[in-house]
Amino acid sequence: MGQTKKPVLEKRELGNTGLKLSCVGFGASPLGNVFGRVSTEEALASVRRALDLGINFFDTSPYYGATLSETVLGDCLHELGVPRDEIVVSTKCGRYAEGFDFSADRVTRSIDESLSRLRLDYVDILQCHDIEFGSLEQIVNETIPALQKLKAAGKARFIGITGLPLEILTYVLDRVPPGSVDVILSYCHYGINDSTLVDLLPYLRSRGVGVITASPLAMGLLTENGPPDWHPASQELKSACRAAVLHCKGKGKSISKLALQYSLMNKDISTVLVGMMSAEQVEENVTAALELSIEGIDDELLSEVETILKPVKNQTWPSGIQQS
């Protein structure tokens, strides 16, 4: 008898870029001590485990931990001696600890600063970070053209935009030349409680724009620990999510695992970014993805949770306080 083939983490194409991303992406904001202190050893162990288990996509930003996330991620990748062509690294520009600046001058300096911290010659994806906080006219007429020059200079292979309100993404894509934005990163709009991103997928596909989602746990709403105090969701939404959490817990199940698997089910989404700060978290997330590919999702539990969340389905919150 032949050996049973070991399951491998799925890789998906990202729009027209030619990049293939692991369906679970490593969100590196926790490496900037955003959610509590992460030691050098813990950071290294989490990145090492991610690579061992087939994660090849790493996402960071100079905003996370006031540049610390980029520095720590760069140190880890350097220490582990990862061949550059085996990883996809994404960072952002325009949002910083000191505020927002989407000017051509600032984003041009920003990539050089990021590359120095990441110890890289180029990033695979450079994204304008949370564009709803800037002038969308500036993003269209100044920022994107500046990023195109950085792409031509070989400092970034592909260009993206990120933000919470979905309409800002289409606003920009409708006003820039086709092909000038390769990727969008949306968060909190493809999960059990909010799946409004699905309405945008045909539009994005028609333009060859790759889709990355983040925050499958709705910034803590779909976790046993619950959301942080600053979470901007309504009390109604928080209460419904808490009820769903307790329902899963009462059945000996994890709502976080269910939520991640739900987000992974749509193959039009190239990767789901999850913040990770320990080897154990990496293993949990990859195991959830592998179980989904082999066994499928727990349909009965999903149906029960969707029923609980139905009164608040697709209820969003104002953009303002966020940790994207």
Side-chain angles (χ1 to χ4, degrees):
M1 279 173 59
Q3 277 190 319
T4 304
K5 195 174 180 185
K6 189 180 175 187
V8 177
L9 195 62
E10 179 190 1
K11 290 190 172 62
R12 300 177 184 173
E13 292 190 3
L14 181 67
N16 290 342
T17 64
L19 296 174
K20 285 193 170 185
L21 309 188
S22 51
C23 61
V24 174
F26 189 106
S29 66
L31 301 190
N33 295 341
V34 172
F35 301 104
R37 189 173 180 280
V38 180
S39 70
T40 303
E41 293 75 23
E42 287 171 320
L44 188 63
S46 60
V47 173
R48 176 187 283 120
R49 197 72 186 115
L51 292 162
D52 287 345
L53 294 177
I55 291 176
N56 73 339
F57 180 49
F58 297 83
D59 176 84
T60 184
S61 166
Y63 174 63
Y64 302 149
T67 75
L68 182 61
S69 171
E70 285 187 325
T71 299
V72 173
L73 178 61
D75 288 348
C76 289
L77 294 172
H78 179 78
E79 175 79 17
L80 294 168
V82 189
R84 183 65 185 88
D85 61 354
E86 291 182 10
I87 50 173
V88 177
V89 179
S90 168
T91 194
K92 307 182 184 79
C93 61
R95 183 170 198 179
Y96 309 97
E98 59 271 21
F100 293 91
D101 188 343
F102 292 101
S103 66
D105 175 64
R106 183 66 187 100
V107 299
T108 301
R109 284 186 288 117
S110 187
I111 186 59
D112 288 331
E113 295 164 3
S114 290
L115 290 175
S116 175
R117 288 188 288 265
L118 288 164
R119 302 193 187 199
L120 298 174
D121 297 325
Y122 67 91
V123 291
D124 297 281
I125 306 167
L126 178 61
Q127 305 170 92
C128 301
H129 195 176
D130 292 337
I131 59 173
E132 67 266 35
F133 292 98
S135 155
L136 294 183
E137 295 308 315
Q138 182 185 35
I139 300 292
V140 169
N141 297 312
E142 182 179 346
T143 318
I144 299 293
L147 298 191
Q148 286 299 317
K149 289 180 181 175
L150 297 175
K151 185 177 178 179
K155 293 181 180 182
R157 294 177 67 195
F158 301 102
I159 302 306
I161 52 177
T162 87
L164 180 64
L166 294 174
E167 61 271 18
I168 62 167
L169 305 175
T170 52
Y171 182 95
V172 170
L173 290 169
D174 283 341
R175 288 165 176 78
V176 295
S180 52
V181 173
D182 305 291
V183 182
I184 65 101
L185 190 162
S186 168
Y187 70 102
C188 291
H189 287 308
Y190 200 83
I192 301 176
N193 63 299
D194 183 335
S195 57
T196 45
L197 179 63
V198 76
D199 296 331
L200 212 59
L201 294 176
Y203 167 94
L204 296 166
R205 197 185 314 116
S206 72
R207 284 161 172 73
V209 175
V211 182
I212 298 168
T213 62
S215 298
L217 311 183
M219 301 193 306
L221 287 175
L222 301 177
T223 64
E224 291 189 5
N225 288 337
D229 292 339
W230 51 258
H231 199 293
S234 69
Q235 194 54 52
E236 182 191 21
L237 178 54
K238 287 178 180 175
S239 297
C241 288
R242 189 69 195 150
V245 169
L246 294 174
H247 176 78
C248 292
K249 192 173 183 181
K251 299 187 81 170
K253 307 274 183 156
S254 162
I255 196 165
S256 298
K257 175 181 170 182
L258 185 77
L260 175 57
Q261 290 181 331
Y262 179 92
S263 296
L264 287 166
M265 282 168 54
N266 193 317
K267 301 296 180 78
D268 285 333
I269 292 168
S270 298
T271 189
V272 178
L273 275 170
V274 189
M276 305 191 219
M277 54 196 289
S278 70
E280 292 73 28
Q281 286 181 354
V282 172
E283 288 169 8
E284 280 177 21
N285 293 323
V286 172
T287 298
L290 294 176
E291 282 184 15
L292 177 68
S293 67
I294 297 164
E295 303 166 14
I297 201 162
D298 185 334
D299 287 315
E300 182 182 345
L301 184 65
L302 176 60
S303 176
E304 292 164 356
V305 167
E306 286 182 320
T307 299
I308 294 169
L309 295 177
K310 192 174 182 182
V312 294
K313 177 76 172 179
N314 295 337
Q315 187 184 112
T316 189
W317 50 77
S319 187
I321 308 173
Q322 61 188 42
Q323 295 290 314
S324 79

